[in-house]
Amino acid sequence: MIGNLKIYQKWEDTAVYGYICLRQYPKSEKFTLAKETREALWEIGTLIVRANSVTSAGEKRRCIEQVDLQLGRLKVMVRMGMKLEFLPFQKYENWMRNLTEIGKMVGGWLKTTYR
């Protein structure tokens, strides 16, 4: 099932790390950048579950493409957190490394839908 899917496991680990990082954001960002970042994290997880469960190749491809789109959006928000100095550079690097790895997994998954 979904718990055995490597991309889901990687997303889960990354989401936990993201939540730890978001605790450092100032209270003034609690309902702005931090909230948007959390929502993007959850949207990615939801789309991974949906992509794994649909049987139509076309629908699966669309879901995976949406994962990729949301992942790009999340990367921009994480980068913005670092540039605004809400996130230390080392945590930014670790978080981005995880997101890049998920992106590679998404690319591989997308390629399988074209076979």
Side-chain angles (χ1 to χ4, degrees):
M1 290 308 288
I2 194 71
N4 294 331
L5 195 63
K6 287 187 185 212
I7 191 170
Y8 182 81
Q9 291 171 348
K10 187 65 178 179
W11 167 81
E12 196 173 77
D13 293 342
T14 302
V16 168
Y17 186 77
Y19 264 76
I20 291 167
C21 290
L22 290 171
R23 285 186 202 147
Q24 293 188 241
Y25 281 42
K27 287 185 182 186
S28 63
E29 292 299 317
K30 184 176 181 180
F31 296 107
T32 52
L33 185 59
K35 179 181 182 259
E36 291 290 322
T37 304
R38 276 191 303 276
E39 287 176 0
L41 274 168
W42 285 110
E43 182 66 18
I44 290 167
T46 300
L47 288 165
I48 289 169
V49 171
R50 185 178 303 147
N52 188 56
S53 65
V54 295
T55 55
S56 160
E59 182 64 23
K60 184 178 290 284
R61 192 174 311 117
R62 281 188 288 281
C63 286
I64 296 169
E65 288 169 348
Q66 284 296 308
V67 171
D68 192 45
L69 182 67
Q70 288 297 319
L71 193 59
R73 180 174 170 249
L74 179 57
K75 285 178 178 181
V76 168
M77 287 187 274
V78 171
R79 191 174 312 111
M80 186 63 65
M82 184 268 301
K83 286 185 175 191
L84 292 170
E85 299 179 355
F86 303 154
L87 187 63
F89 187 75
Q90 186 175 0
K91 287 192 176 183
Y92 163 77
E93 269 188 325
N94 291 336
W95 200 354
M96 288 301 277
R97 189 177 308 115
N98 288 339
L99 294 175
T100 299
E101 190 174 333
I102 291 172
K104 290 176 184 178
M105 295 168 112
V106 167
W109 197 10
L110 192 57
K111 283 181 185 177
T112 67
T113 65
Y114 289 105
R115 291 183 188 169

